[in-house]
Amino acid sequence: MIGDSVVHGSSRPTRFAVSTAFSSNLMAILQFLLLLFCLYPINEATAQKPNILLLLVDDLGIGDIGCYGNNTIRTPNIDRLAREGVKLTQHIAAAPLCTPSRSAFLTGRYPIRAGMTGGEVVYWNAVPGGLPANEITFAKILKKQGYSTAIIGKWHLGVNCESRNDFCHHPLNHGFDYFYGMPFTLFNDCEVSRSSEFHVDFKIALWFYAQIFAIMLLTLVAGNLWRFVNVPWKIIFAFTLFGTVFFMYWYAAYAFKIYWDCIWMENFEIIEQPMDLEEKACQIVRETKAFINSNKDGPFLLFVSFLHIHTPHYTTKKMRGRSKHDLYGDNVEEVDWMIGEILDAIDKEGLVNNTLTYFASDHGAYLEGMAGSPHLKGSNGIYRGGKGMGGLEGGIRVPGILRWPGVIPANTAIDKPTSLMDIFTTVTKLGGGVLPQDRIIDGKDLIPLVQGLIPDSEHKFMFHYCDKYLHAVRWQQTASDTIWKVHYISPKFSPGEGACYKTKICQCSGDNVIYHVPPLLFNLSNDPSENNPLPSDLPLYNEVLQTIEQAVAHHNSTLYPVPQQLYGINNMWNPRLQLCCGTFPLCWCNKNKKN
């Protein structure tokens, strides 16, 4: 047989056999590619680096918005985000106060690792403490990946180190290309008609000692003049000089705080000192829209850090009186309006499908509130405690929403432990960055969890600090699908009260806290309000506590000494560091062309 045939028994295939084998292999390859296509859908949203829009509200409680159960304050735009994305129902702040929580949010690390514990928060613009220059923020990483980066609104992580214009802690030295906002935080002193809420007890004590000093000085002078005592005039002069300088320092620090700290900046320039509160909501919205429009070709990282809902709950005139909860409710509804305007800008530019939008609060609501109305305080829903209350659930469990159409499922709730620190890892990976290898990163990537690719959170344990003190620890026991939480320390409330109304903010240590011996253990899965601790004589109590204490020991082994940013002189007003748009101390101006 000749031609296309082969001798029987030969190992060489015919052309027909080769063609058949090739077709079979080709079909197998096509089937494999089709399988990959189904498993990993390729669409416009994932074909390029996404834009990242981060919306962080100040002091907003989980019980203050509709999608988390509130039916008396209107938040249609935040609720819309929840319908179009994933709602996190165990979203945890790394600290119950602004400065340490925001440090953790930007760096993905517990505040204690960066030395961002101590005096609770940054107390003045003019202090040398702040977010250390060697900390790596997600803005630094994404900037290197080609992102345009901006922060609009509140900073509260320090400004200067050694002079009033070195800007070592400034946002532009932490990876942001653009800053339009307040380097400090909103507080009562920024509104002239409000009584001060800042260091009230200390100022009362200071006034008392100033009077004692004046009486002593007058007594010494009169005694010397009438020769009742014989004190050298040099000593009296030295005493007078020391006392006068001491009390004048503190008087200047507190009496002019509206000028020192109620400042509005654009990049490194002070444009309002003090700032006009009435304009701020609209300015933040306008500037956010302008940034989105200018960077619509992307990719961009935009961090909108709202001044709302912090006291004094300043609300623009057109939004006042609309809610059922006085200024507090008006303020919540105004920030919801601001979020709606920002979302509309994303829609208008056609960016919704290529933008990861994240919404959260930096910690729980401030329960002590403001004087004048029972409505001037927030709600943390069923959760016990609030802002500044260590590891109590109400101070650290916050609303959290992620939206990215086509990539993240819509109208979904996830009841697994997640953290604000997770945003660092999540956006770093989405933006094509690499996590730092020279330090511990505590945040986890949220995308596999919200996409349903993994059943449980990657957070097995979470550690809840108040200042440098470990108040509580959370354990996700996946085998039994149970969340355990142990409390070592908690705030001491007056009988019948659930907040620190007398001091206005709870303490982290000393006589104003309760040291639990033995520790309190709660099953958060069955008792999210932390009302019924597990009896300490049960075998289960000892088993759970032993596991948690092993985790604490391991966690402690990963902590290393670092410079403390918020202790002592690092958090005291230093005139040499004072931001000033004039010649110090004549610091006032309004150069904001966007008013």
Side-chain angles (χ1 to χ4, degrees):
M1 198 172 184
I2 57 173
D4 290 337
S5 301
V6 295
V7 177
H8 182 71
S10 169
S11 61
R12 292 190 305 163
T14 65
R15 291 181 182 177
F16 175 78
V18 170
S19 177
T20 301
F22 177 77
S23 299
S24 299
N25 290 336
L26 181 61
M27 287 300 297
I29 292 170
L30 290 174
Q31 288 174 351
F32 178 71
L33 292 175
L34 182 63
L35 179 62
L36 285 178
F37 181 82
C38 294
L39 288 176
Y40 301 97
I42 299 173
N43 53 41
E44 185 181 352
T46 56
Q48 54 184 310
K49 293 178 181 178
N51 301 310
I52 295 166
L53 173 62
L54 308 176
L55 307 171
L56 192 67
V57 184
D58 197 4
D59 289 18
L60 179 69
I62 196 170
D64 287 329
I65 50 182
C67 56
Y68 282 89
N70 189 298
N71 57 11
T72 59
I73 298 178
R74 294 164 296 185
T75 55
N77 296 297
I78 298 171
D79 299 345
R80 169 195 164 191
L81 269 181
R83 288 193 307 272
E84 296 175 356
V86 170
K87 180 176 71 174
L88 307 172
T89 59
Q90 288 195 59
H91 201 41
I92 309 298
L97 285 170
C98 303
T99 296
S101 174
R102 290 163 182 269
S103 165
F105 175 69
L106 285 166
T107 65
R109 289 154 50 83
Y110 285 110
I112 197 169
R113 299 194 192 279
M116 293 298 286
T117 58
E120 298 170 346
V121 297
V122 170
Y123 284 145
W124 278 274
N125 277 325
V127 299
L131 186 62
N134 64 349
E135 285 297 317
I136 299 174
T137 66
F138 52 66
K140 285 183 179 179
I141 295 175
L142 293 190
K143 185 175 181 178
K144 292 180 179 178
Q145 297 301 314
Y147 275 75
S148 298
T149 60
I151 175 172
I152 297 174
K154 169 177 172 173
W155 177 240
H156 206 192
L157 291 167
V159 182
N160 296 314
C161 289
E162 297 179 354
S163 68
R164 64 172 52 108
N165 58 3
D166 64 33
F167 300 115
C168 65
H169 303 305
H170 190 279
L172 268 59
N173 284 323
H174 278 292
F176 292 100
D177 297 315
Y178 182 65
F179 172 54
Y180 183 77
M182 188 178 190
F184 196 58
T185 182
L186 201 59
F187 58 108
N188 270 14
D189 302 58
C190 291
E191 189 177 355
V192 178
S193 61
R194 296 285 180 185
S195 58
S196 177
E197 62 181 350
F198 196 76
H199 292 173
V200 175
D201 290 342
F202 179 72
K203 284 188 285 188
I204 292 172
L206 204 61
W207 173 239
F208 172 77
Y209 288 117
Q211 294 177 84
I212 296 296
F213 166 75
I215 292 170
M216 289 178 63
L217 181 59
L218 290 173
T219 302
L220 284 173
V221 172
N224 254 23
L225 289 174
W226 293 95
R227 299 185 179 180
F228 294 143
V229 293
N230 186 21
V231 179
W233 286 105
K234 288 183 178 179
I235 294 178
I236 295 177
F237 176 77
F239 177 70
T240 304
L241 181 63
F242 173 80
T244 302
V245 170
F246 177 82
F247 288 110
M248 285 300 294
Y249 162 83
W250 286 112
Y251 174 78
Y254 289 118
F256 302 102
K257 196 162 175 57
I258 187 173
Y259 293 97
W260 304 152
D261 294 325
C262 302
I263 293 172
W264 202 253
M265 299 183 74
E266 185 168 23
N267 295 327
F268 293 125
E269 183 184 9
I270 301 167
I271 55 177
E272 290 182 51
Q273 190 172 10
M275 64 190 196
D276 180 3
L277 295 182
E278 181 65 26
E279 296 286 339
K280 289 298 154 281
C282 290
Q283 284 174 356
I284 287 173
V285 169
R286 286 199 299 265
E287 201 64 20
T288 300
K289 287 182 175 182
F291 181 85
I292 292 170
N293 178 263
S294 299
N295 295 276
K296 58 188 175 185
D297 294 329
F300 65 75
L301 164 70
L302 176 55
F303 177 19
V304 185
S305 179
F306 298 96
L307 305 184
H308 301 56
I309 307 297
H310 203 288
T311 54
H313 313 313
Y314 192 89
T315 308
T316 52
K317 292 177 183 177
K318 67 178 182 179
M319 298 294 290
R320 292 178 204 166
R322 295 190 175 192
S323 78
K324 299 178 181 179
H325 292 273
D326 209 312
L327 270 180
Y328 188 90
D330 296 346
N331 214 226
V332 175
E333 293 189 2
E334 180 168 60
V335 80
D336 181 80
W337 166 79
M338 295 170 73
I339 289 170
E341 291 290 305
I342 294 168
L343 296 180
D344 287 348
I346 293 290
D347 292 343
K348 180 181 176 182
E349 300 295 347
L351 301 175
V352 64
N353 291 329
N354 191 39
T355 300
L356 171 70
T357 302
Y358 169 77
F359 165 84
S361 174
D362 59 352
H363 49 69
Y366 181 46
L367 298 186
E368 287 80 4
M370 296 198 311
S373 168
H375 297 301
L376 294 178
K377 60 182 181 181
S379 168
N380 295 310
I382 65 172
Y383 305 108
R384 183 167 171 251
K387 174 181 177 178
M389 300 186 194
L392 293 185
E393 201 71 1
I396 54 177
R397 190 183 290 220
V398 297
I401 300 171
L402 288 161
R403 183 190 74 167
W404 189 2
V407 178
I408 293 175
N411 203 24
T412 303
I414 292 181
D415 191 31
K416 301 291 183 180
T418 57
S419 171
L420 268 73
M421 296 185 292
D422 297 341
I423 295 304
F424 175 90
T425 302
T426 303
V427 302
T428 293
K429 291 188 175 182
L430 286 176
V434 177
L435 295 178
Q437 301 300 306
D438 62 342
R439 63 199 65 200
I440 293 173
I441 301 298
D442 299 297
K444 311 298 181 183
D445 186 0
L446 285 173
I447 297 301
L449 179 66
V450 298
Q451 287 186 327
L453 301 179
I454 58 175
D456 295 299
S457 165
E458 293 185 65
H459 288 285
K460 190 173 183 181
F461 297 95
M462 285 186 178
F463 305 92
H464 308 305
Y465 284 89
C466 184
D467 192 351
K468 63 180 180 181
Y469 304 98
L470 184 64
H471 274 215
V473 180
R474 177 186 316 256
W475 173 32
Q476 178 189 208
Q477 187 181 27
T478 54
S480 63
D481 197 24
T482 303
I483 306 296
W484 298 100
K485 188 176 174 189
V486 61
H487 284 269
Y488 298 105
I489 307 172
S490 59
K492 183 185 292 183
F493 302 138
S494 298
E497 297 182 346
C500 300
Y501 295 108
K502 292 181 180 178
T503 58
K504 284 295 185 180
I505 195 76
C506 293
Q507 304 301 306
C508 297
S509 61
D511 296 333
N512 292 317
V513 300
I514 302 171
Y515 297 90
H516 299 293
V517 182
L520 299 181
L521 178 63
F522 295 93
N523 180 341
L524 289 186
S525 300
N526 297 330
D527 181 25
S529 301
E530 301 177 289
N531 289 324
N532 304 298
L534 207 68
S536 60
D537 57 354
L538 291 180
L540 179 60
Y541 173 94
N542 293 317
E543 292 173 12
V544 173
L545 189 63
Q546 183 179 14
T547 300
I548 290 176
E549 291 190 341
Q550 288 174 353
V552 170
H554 174 72
H555 171 71
N556 288 339
S557 71
T558 68
L559 301 177
Y560 302 98
V562 293
Q564 296 301 303
Q565 298 295 319
L566 307 180
Y567 275 109
I569 197 171
N570 279 342
N571 210 0
M572 287 176 61
W573 182 64
N574 185 337
R576 293 189 309 106
L577 305 182
Q578 181 59 55
L579 293 170
C580 186
C581 63
T583 302
F584 182 84
L586 306 178
C587 304
W588 59 80
C589 65
N590 191 336
K591 300 182 284 184
N592 194 348
K593 298 177 182 178
K594 296 167 184 175
N595 278 340

